Amino acid sequence: RRQGYLSNGQIFDGTHAEGKKNVLMFQLGGNGVIPGVSEMVGEMGVGQKVQAIIPPELAFGDKGLCLESGDCLIKPGATLVYDIFLKRAGIPPP
């Protein structure tokens, strides 16, 4: 499970927000999550909970996460904070 928020506390992403109980599955080093989350999860053990502070260069960088209209969900240069719980880990079949 994970929950992501901006440094001001505003939640922007989460698999456990608002009563959701689904999980996020992704391959380490792939394109499923930002590099900072992938790196942190790669260092975690099963059952471990961490709060990761992700600098812009390991998140959305100077571009942010913006819509074509110019509105940004995550502003350029934003530092992100994630609360992460690693429920399980596995090696996918070949």
Side-chain angles (χ1 to χ4, degrees), residues 6 10-12 64-67 70-76 78 80:
L6 304 174
Q10 178 185 353
I11 296 172
F12 67 85
L65 183 58
C66 302
L67 305 172
D71 294 329
C72 294
L73 303 171
I74 299 173
K75 292 183 180 179
L80 307 179

Side-chain angles (χ1 to χ4, degrees), residues 25-28 46 88-94:
M25 296 176 65
F26 66 94
Q27 183 175 349
L28 290 178
V46 173
R88 66 181 174 148
I91 300 172

Side-chain angles (χ1 to χ4, degrees), residues 7-93:
S7 56
N8 67 5
Q10 178 185 353
I11 296 172
F12 67 85
D13 181 27
T15 59
H16 201 62
E18 300 174 13
K20 295 179 184 176
K21 300 209 183 242
N22 54 339
V23 296
L24 173 69
M25 296 176 65
F26 66 94
Q27 183 175 349
L28 290 178
N31 293 327
V33 295
I34 60 173
V37 169
S38 185
E39 285 184 20
M40 179 56 66
V41 170
E43 297 177 13
M44 293 174 65
V46 173
Q48 187 176 3
K49 295 178 184 180
V50 299
Q51 183 175 73
I53 299 172
I54 311 292
E57 59 271 14
L58 293 175
F60 295 99
D62 293 333
K63 293 183 179 181
L65 183 58
C66 302
L67 305 172
E68 288 183 23
S69 65
D71 294 329
C72 294
L73 303 171
I74 299 173
K75 292 183 180 179
T79 295
L80 307 179
V81 180
Y82 275 92
D83 293 327
I84 304 170
F85 172 64
L86 184 59
K87 187 172 183 176
R88 66 181 174 148
I91 300 172

